[in-house]
């Protein structure tokens, strides 16, 4: 790696660690309802929203009520997005007069943005109107990220509280995550991106004459000459900001952050990467502050940082370590092992910083497993921050960890055994083709949204199967996670003793990293060995795919 590459990596992680403390402290103040500098402006807005919607912020919810409210909200907003897509031809802000989105694709997209996946089986600039981009997609970038933050905070409360059965109020957490965190940060980042040249307008697309006519050949063998080019544009900067801050990843353009209207300068590239990790890192610090053990928050953040150091392109590593999925290069063009690294980042469970909120609660499930294993090694009941980890907690943790590979490997196996459905969409065959299929279901289930880009996923089979993978990869895993939080909230605090395993030390960080890597290796190494690893070995022998 060049000196410039090392300098970028060093500066990037240094800024993340530097900003984690103030961001984490601010998040703690927001969700513990302490005073912030934005209160004079936002408290009246919050109260008005509660009055209009009939929400009673003082009423807290059990974990079952919390998850029910989250599912109702997600289902309602998913339906809204589906309807906007299906009716966009007759709705305003459609200067290109784009047609209504086909049913299977509309469902796939609605599920994708609801689950924070932002998987795109289409070219946005030729499929989605401005209204669909703003009302259907950009709003979900806020909502899905806010849902993830709310769930993470509920889990933290489950750890921090004692002898209670409530985890807070979902509607309050959702509102505060949106108003106090995502909206202000997005406004600031949008303005900075506009200053760098990111487009923000509602104009129709421009048509310009080419300086040199270009001859193109269509699939049926006919040749034609192009003399003009259509320049797509639109409200890009506003969507780009929340796409990165909310670890969403869905691009306004088909080439995503490789497009100069989304990412025009080295500074915009660096700031967009920084935005991806900013809130996940801050939430780790909030964990320590809210449970009364700041060192534990730093220990978890240290584990995330250790796992982040991967030998790959910086943007690809950042976007797949988090659940963002935005790309500034096509992963299908990477060498076999280079393509394996982004895939492996997602296969670890999207916990290396991870999505906003989702990365933290996924990491906390691994923390419980690490503490459980430590307890087995010393021959005593495991404890986590003064609470005994018992059978129910371990069972729910294992359920959480098993759902993920079951969906990925199950759908991948079905796809490779169905030539007319799964294999017909491949751009490459052999082990590289398997990598394309495996990556698609990994990205969908992990709610990442990035793609190898060699797979044609805009088919009925992939639109529907990936929709199921995204939906279950998000919501099916939330249920056992909140069940753990609800169970922990009702437990008594046990005083620490000489046999208590500390969760604030480098030893704990090492154990946590080891558990994550071992679980990932045992689960997915056979599939990886048939895909990118085999392709690497065959490439060295002179074969290519």
């Amino acid at each position: 790696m060049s000196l410039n590459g090392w300098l970028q990596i060093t500066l990037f992680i240094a800024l993340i660690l530097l900003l984690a403390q103030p961001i984490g402290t601010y998040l703690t103040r927001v969700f513990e309802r302490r005073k912030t500098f934005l209160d004079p402006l936002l408290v009246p807005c919050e109260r008005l929203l509660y009055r209009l919607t009939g929400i009673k912020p003082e009423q807290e919810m059990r974990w079952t009520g919390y998850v029910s409210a989250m599912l109702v909200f997600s289902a309602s907003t998913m339906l809204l997005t589906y309807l906007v897509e299906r009716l966009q031809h007759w709705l305003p802000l459609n200067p290109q007069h784009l047609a209504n989105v086909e049913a299977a694709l509309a469902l796939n997209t609605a599920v994708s943005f609801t689950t924070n996946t932002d998987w795109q089986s289409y070219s946005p600039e030729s499929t989605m109107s401005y209204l669909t981009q703003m009302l259907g997609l950009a709003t979900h970038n806020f909502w899905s990220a806010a849902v993830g933050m709310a769930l993470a905070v509920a889990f933290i409360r489950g750890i921090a509280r004692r002898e209670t059965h409530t985890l807070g109020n979902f509607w309050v957490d959702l509102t505060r995550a949106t108003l106090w965190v995502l909206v202000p940060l997005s406004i600031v980042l949008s303005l900075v991106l506009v200053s760098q040249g990111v487009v923000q307008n509602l104009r129709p697309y421009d048509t310009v004459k080419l300086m040199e006519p270009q001859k193109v050949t269509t699939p049926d063998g006919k040749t034609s000459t192009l003399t003009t080019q259509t320049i797509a544009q639109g409200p890009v900067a506003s969507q780009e900001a929340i796409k990165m801050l909310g670890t969403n990843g869905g691009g306004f353009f088909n080439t995503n952050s490789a497009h100069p209207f989304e990412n025009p300068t080295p500074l915009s590239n660096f700031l967009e990467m920084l935005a991806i990790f900013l809130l996940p890192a801050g939430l780790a610090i909030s964990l320590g502050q809210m449970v009364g053990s700041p060192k534990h928050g730093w220990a978890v953040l240290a584990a995330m940082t250790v796992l982040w150091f991967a030998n790959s392109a910086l943007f690809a590593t950042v976007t797949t370590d988090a659940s963002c999925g935005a790309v500034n290069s096509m992963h299908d063009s990477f060498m076999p092992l280079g393509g394996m690294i982004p895939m492996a980042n997602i296969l670890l469970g999207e916990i290396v910083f991870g999505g906003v909120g989702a990365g933290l609660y996924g990491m906390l499930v691994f923390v419980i497993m690490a503490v459980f294993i430590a307890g087995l090694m010393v021959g005593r009941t495991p404890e986590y921050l003064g609470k005994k980890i018992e059978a129910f907690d371990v069972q729910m943790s294992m359920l959480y960890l098993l759902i993920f590979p079951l969906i990925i490997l199950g759908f991948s196996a079905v796809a490779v055994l169905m030539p007319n459905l799964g294999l017909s969409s491949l751009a490459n065959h052999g082990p590289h083709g398997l990598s394309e299929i495996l990556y698609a279901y990994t990205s969908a289930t992990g709610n990442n949204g990035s793609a190898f880009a060699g797979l044609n996923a805009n088919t009925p089979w992939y639109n529907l199967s990936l929709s199921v993978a995204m939906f279950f990869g998000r919501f099916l895993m939330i249920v056992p996670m909140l069940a753990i939080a609800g169970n922990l909230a009702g437990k008594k605090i046990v005083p620490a003793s000489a046999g208590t395993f500390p969760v604030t030390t480098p030893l704990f960080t090492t154990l946590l990293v080891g558990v994550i890597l071992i679980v990932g290796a045992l689960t997915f190494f056979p599939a990886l060995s048939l895909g990118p690893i085999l392709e690497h070995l065959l490439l060295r022998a002179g074969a290519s795919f």
Side-chain angles (χ1 to χ4, degrees), residues 394-415:
V394 177
Q395 290 166 356
M396 290 298 102
S397 298
M398 288 306 303
L399 180 59
Y400 180 98
L401 297 175
L402 289 173
I403 290 170
F404 189 65
L406 179 63
I407 298 172
I408 294 172
L409 299 178
F411 272 119
S412 297
V414 172

Side-chain angles (χ1 to χ4, degrees), residues 23 82 100 176 252 431-432 442 456 487 491 509 530 536 545:
I23 292 293
Y82 179 81
N100 296 329
R176 295 187 72 84
F252 193 94
H432 193 86
T442 299
N456 173 25
N487 192 50
K491 295 186 178 185
T509 299
L530 295 173
H536 170 75
F545 302 91

Side-chain angles (χ1 to χ4, degrees), residues 240-262:
E240 189 73 11
I242 187 57
K243 155 188 157 182
M244 297 304 190
L245 286 165
T247 62
N248 294 284
F252 193 94
F253 300 101
N254 188 39
T255 53
N256 209 288
S257 293
H259 197 290
F261 284 179
E262 287 196 29

Side-chain angles (χ1 to χ4, degrees), residues 59-75:
Q59 291 184 352
E60 294 209 343
M61 302 173 175
R62 291 172 174 261
W63 77 266
T64 50
Y66 203 98
V67 75
S68 298
M70 181 274 301
L71 290 173
V72 168
F73 174 78
S74 299

Side-chain angles (χ1 to χ4, degrees), residues 60-140:
E60 294 209 343
M61 302 173 175
R62 291 172 174 261
W63 77 266
T64 50
Y66 203 98
V67 75
S68 298
M70 181 274 301
L71 290 173
V72 168
F73 174 78
S74 299
S76 302
T77 54
M78 183 172 68
L79 178 60
L80 170 64
T81 298
Y82 179 81
L83 292 175
V84 170
E85 292 179 80
R86 296 289 287 146
L87 300 173
Q88 73 172 10
H89 182 68
W90 301 296
L91 295 174
L93 292 176
N94 185 7
Q96 300 309 117
H97 307 291
L98 297 174
N100 296 329
V101 182
E102 183 270 329
L105 179 59
L107 174 64
N108 180 281
T109 306
V111 173
S112 175
F113 279 79
T114 301
T115 59
N116 198 250
T117 309
D118 293 17
W119 173 272
Q120 294 174 293
S121 299
Y122 57 91
S123 297
E125 60 265 46
S126 61
T127 307
M128 304 296 181
S129 70
Y130 289 166
L131 183 69
T132 303
Q133 291 268 31
M134 293 187 293
L135 179 61
L137 307 185
T139 51
H140 264 304

Side-chain angles (χ1 to χ4, degrees), residues 215-239:
K215 290 185 177 182
V216 296
T217 303
T218 59
D220 58 4
K222 295 181 180 180
T223 301
S224 61
T225 302
L226 296 179
T227 60
T228 62
Q229 179 181 357
T230 300
I231 307 297
Q233 55 199 304
V236 182
S238 55
Q239 185 164 323

Side-chain angles (χ1 to χ4, degrees), residues 130-214:
Y130 289 166
L131 183 69
T132 303
Q133 291 268 31
M134 293 187 293
L135 179 61
L137 307 185
T139 51
H140 264 304
N141 288 350
F142 286 95
W143 292 333
S144 62
V147 167
M149 294 177 70
L151 292 168
V153 169
F155 200 147
I156 294 173
R157 291 196 189 107
I159 299 169
R161 293 180 175 183
R162 64 185 73 177
E163 298 182 69
T164 184
H165 297 288
T166 60
L167 298 174
N169 186 305
F170 169 76
W171 305 109
V172 173
D173 293 337
L174 180 77
T175 301
R176 295 187 72 84
T178 305
L179 284 183
W180 265 262
V181 182
L182 296 174
V183 169
L185 286 175
S186 295
I187 291 173
V188 173
L189 183 57
S190 295
L191 293 174
V192 174
L193 292 178
V194 168
S195 75
Q196 293 300 297
V198 178
V199 172
Q200 180 72 18
N201 62 46
L202 295 174
R203 293 173 48 188
Y205 295 174
D206 289 327
T207 300
V208 298
K209 289 185 177 181
L210 296 176
M211 296 182 64
E212 295 183 6
Q214 301 291 317

